[in-house]
Amino acid sequence: QAKSQGRGQYQFFDPSMDESIKTRLQVATDLRQALLHKQNLAVYYQPQMDISGENVVALEALIRWDHPVLGAIPPGEFIPLAEEMGLIIQLGEWVLREASRVSLAWPDLVIAVNVSPLQFRSPGFVEHFEAIVKQEHTLPSRIELEITEGVLIEDSKGAKKIMTRLREIGFHIALDDFGTGYSSLNYLSHFSVDKIKIDRSFTQALGVTENSMAIVESVIRLGQAMGLVVTAEGVETSSQMAALAEAGCNQLQGYLFSQAVPEGQIATLLAREEK
Ligand code: C2E
Ligand code: MG
Ligand code: MG
Ligand code: MG
């Protein structure tokens, strides 16, 4: 199945090596190449809707990798690999550059960019992000950085400093996958953020699990009390949407509205709302 070039590289590894390790090493090498040539890598965009579900208010940049042999590999699989290989910085900067460029075409929309905890703690992170936005002639206020509570771990003092600087520069900050970590509440008490994104596991428990409505309602109330925007992730059904609206949620994101689409399809996505 492997292309001739790929096959040659497989030979490089010790034949006694476990097949899965060999594949992993090969995939790691391929990721490095893909990033170097920006080949088979793309940034897709998923809309975030206001609570009516009719207006797009933001776009989340989500990376896609179409491996020449293995096909599409989900970011949940290759992001950890990129982190291990030290490629996450380069990858994250490329995504920000793309997102910044796209922000110019859609002046009414905020573009959300995911930031890995490793990237967040890397030296020069704030300066690099500031410089990229500037080079692309957009404003930090057009960009929302999505972080998870992983950034808190180890050095929360350092993380707080970085967060403060990012907000001073004008970046928006969203807390991604809210509720899934150890100490989401602890996180909120330490850092000032602009938005909470309720993890899709909570959205999808609505109407399925007892107490799920109570949990979602209290997160939304908490966010409101703190003056934050609350976005629900993973909205797939109109009954989930109705429950979220009822609970006072501000924004919705999920397959009910759209999957992430290539840049060329953003216009079509936005045209839908004008009906
Ligand atoms: P995330 O930031 O929480 O992104 C939301 C994920 O949920 C995306 O998966 C999206 O496609 C998926 N999703 C959206 N709506 C629905 C829905 O209604 N139902 C279901 N089942 N899923 C939905 P994706 O694109 O596979 O990304 C997975 C994770 O990979 C992201 O989670 C994020 O943590 C990470 N990721 C993606 N792109 C980047 C990137 O450029 N940089 C970094 N550091 N991480 C990224
Ligand atoms: Mg995200
Ligand atoms: Mg999320
Ligand atoms: Mg996630």
Side-chain angles (χ1 to χ4, degrees), residues 96-135:
L96 178 66
R97 200 173 286 286
E98 290 289 302
S100 297
R101 187 176 53 70
V102 163
S103 77
L104 294 176
W106 311 105
D108 297 332
L109 306 180
V110 165
I111 317 288
V113 170
N114 291 281
V115 177
S116 135
L118 229 139
Q119 189 184 4
F120 187 90
R121 284 196 294 269
S122 66
F125 163 66
V126 177
E127 290 75 13
H128 293 158
F129 263 41
E130 192 178 13
I132 289 167
V133 163
K134 202 175 253 173
Q135 284 159 14

Side-chain angles (χ1 to χ4, degrees), residues 202-244:
F202 297 104
T203 302
Q204 296 184 350
L206 287 171
V208 178
T209 311
E210 220 189 329
N211 296 330
S212 58
M213 189 62 187
I215 293 172
V216 165
E217 272 175 351
S218 56
V219 172
I220 292 169
R221 215 168 302 140
L222 176 71
Q224 282 172 345
M226 296 184 72
L228 310 177
V229 172
V230 181
T231 303
E233 302 192 88
V235 183
E236 293 184 358
T237 68
S238 44
S239 57
Q240 289 165 356
M241 174 175 161
L244 289 158

Side-chain angles (χ1 to χ4, degrees), residues 48 58 110-115 140-146 171-174 194-195 197 229 231 251:
Q48 295 179 10
V110 165
I111 317 288
V113 170
N114 291 281
V115 177
S141 59
R142 302 292 319 288
I143 306 290
E144 183 161 75
L145 303 177
E146 295 196 359
F171 287 108
H172 297 277
I173 309 276
D194 302 284
K195 183 189 273 192
K197 296 188 79 179
V229 172
T231 303
Q251 296 178 355

Side-chain angles (χ1 to χ4, degrees), residues 7-21:
R7 209 172 269 279
Q9 285 170 357
Y10 275 101
Q11 312 274 304
F12 172 80
F13 300 111
D14 181 342
S16 71
M17 228 185 245
D18 187 274
E19 203 60 36
S20 66
I21 296 177

Side-chain angles (χ1 to χ4, degrees), residues 60 114 146 148 175-178 197-200 233:
E60 179 174 0
N114 291 281
E146 295 196 359
T148 56
L175 210 44
D176 207 352
D177 305 341
F178 189 80
K197 296 188 79 179
I198 300 177
D199 189 72
R200 75 160 179 261
E233 302 192 88

